[in-house]
Amino acid sequence: MMNQKNYQKELDKLLENLTAEGRVPRLLLHSCCAPCSSYVMEYLSQYFQITVFFYNPNIYPPEEYELRVKEEKRLIGEMPFVHPVQMLEGRYEPDRFFQEVKGMEKEPEGQKRCEHCYEMRLYEAGLMAKQGGYDFFTTTLTISPLKSASKLNEIGGRIGKELGVTYLCSDFKKKSGYKRSLELSEEYGLYRQNYCGCIYSKR
């Protein structure tokens, strides 16, 4: 059996090099929601100038989407960061999500349908990073214990190569990241949804 790649170790090494060089690169961070981004922003804002990119056309219903956007903005406004964090809201285009996962509606959670959803969101993030001249792009999604960091990193890495922008590999649940996100959610009184986002995960 192959050893699971240690993404946290790779990230540690990169952050160490950035610190040694005195560089603070620009990072486009795709975020799914405020609770997941809380720890990631706290952690990465020590090393990067972050723009949080909220692009989640999968979220259902629209009221849920609005609530998550509002919480993300509030958290960025209230949290202290080492380097400034700003936010960029993507388009809310649920029709694109439904088109993307057509024929996969009955797939179990975490399988093919979810992978297509990751692909759609990471591709949009990669495009924004490319257009905005960012040094790196990544996603908060690897903080979830229910999501495969290796699958997300594989998709992100492939998109990064295709677009010519560096994807920052991660496994944010490591270093007690998920636990820290729970603490920060409590500290800032964040709304924590009980489903990933789409109508199928809600069901």
Side-chain angles (χ1 to χ4, degrees):
M1 192 176 153
M2 280 172 70
N3 286 336
Q4 173 74 29
K5 204 169 177 184
N6 192 328
Y7 297 107
Q8 183 59 52
K9 211 170 182 178
E10 285 182 19
L11 181 58
D12 284 340
K13 197 169 181 199
L14 173 77
L15 299 178
E16 209 175 279
N17 291 342
L18 289 178
T19 306
E21 291 164 17
R23 280 174 61 214
V24 183
R26 293 173 70 228
L27 167 72
L28 189 85
L29 174 65
H30 166 264
S31 170
C32 54
C33 62
C36 286
S37 69
S38 59
Y39 161 73
V40 182
M41 292 191 299
E42 178 184 68
Y43 175 40
L44 293 184
S45 71
Q46 300 170 76
Y47 308 97
F48 298 95
Q49 291 178 57
I50 299 173
T51 298
V52 170
F53 179 50
F54 194 92
Y55 178 72
N56 301 291
N58 55 309
I59 297 174
Y60 175 89
E63 297 75 26
E64 176 73 20
Y65 174 84
E66 290 302 335
L67 182 54
R68 294 196 199 185
V69 172
K70 201 171 133 195
E71 283 294 82
E72 187 74 67
K73 285 178 180 165
R74 178 171 75 83
L75 181 65
I76 292 168
E78 291 178 11
M79 263 185 98
F81 301 112
V82 177
H83 293 106
V85 174
Q86 51 189 10
M87 179 169 157
L88 179 62
E89 188 184 344
R91 295 182 302 275
Y92 180 51
E93 40 191 11
D95 289 350
R96 181 177 174 187
F97 167 72
F98 288 121
Q99 194 55 44
E100 193 67 45
V101 300
K102 205 172 178 183
M104 296 176 235
E105 294 86 352
K106 292 189 164 64
E107 283 274 330
E109 199 64 5
Q111 307 277 316
K112 216 164 139 189
R113 185 185 66 241
C114 296
E115 287 172 19
H116 276 256
C117 182
Y118 304 155
E119 181 107 26
M120 173 188 68
R121 292 186 280 169
L122 283 172
Y123 191 82
E124 194 69 18
L127 271 181
M128 292 305 288
K130 175 81 173 167
Q131 288 164 8
Y134 287 84
D135 301 292
F136 297 91
F137 78 105
T138 194
T139 180
T140 61
L141 288 166
T142 66
I143 199 167
S144 168
L146 303 173
K147 291 180 174 59
S148 160
S150 56
K151 177 51 71 180
L152 284 158
N153 288 323
E154 178 217 306
I155 293 169
R158 176 164 37 80
I159 290 169
K161 281 198 183 82
E162 187 187 324
L163 296 173
V165 56
T166 308
Y167 180 77
L168 189 74
C169 285
S170 70
D171 191 356
F172 293 124
K173 63 182 89 54
K174 293 284 166 74
K175 284 190 158 179
S176 303
Y178 180 67
K179 181 172 175 278
R180 179 62 183 147
S181 77
L182 297 179
E183 292 167 3
L184 286 165
S185 295
E186 196 170 321
E187 189 181 326
Y188 288 93
L190 296 177
Y191 161 68
R192 285 183 60 80
Q193 64 277 2
N194 59 4
Y195 66 106
C196 178
C198 77
I199 189 168
Y200 313 113
S201 64
K202 191 173 168 65
R203 281 177 190 162

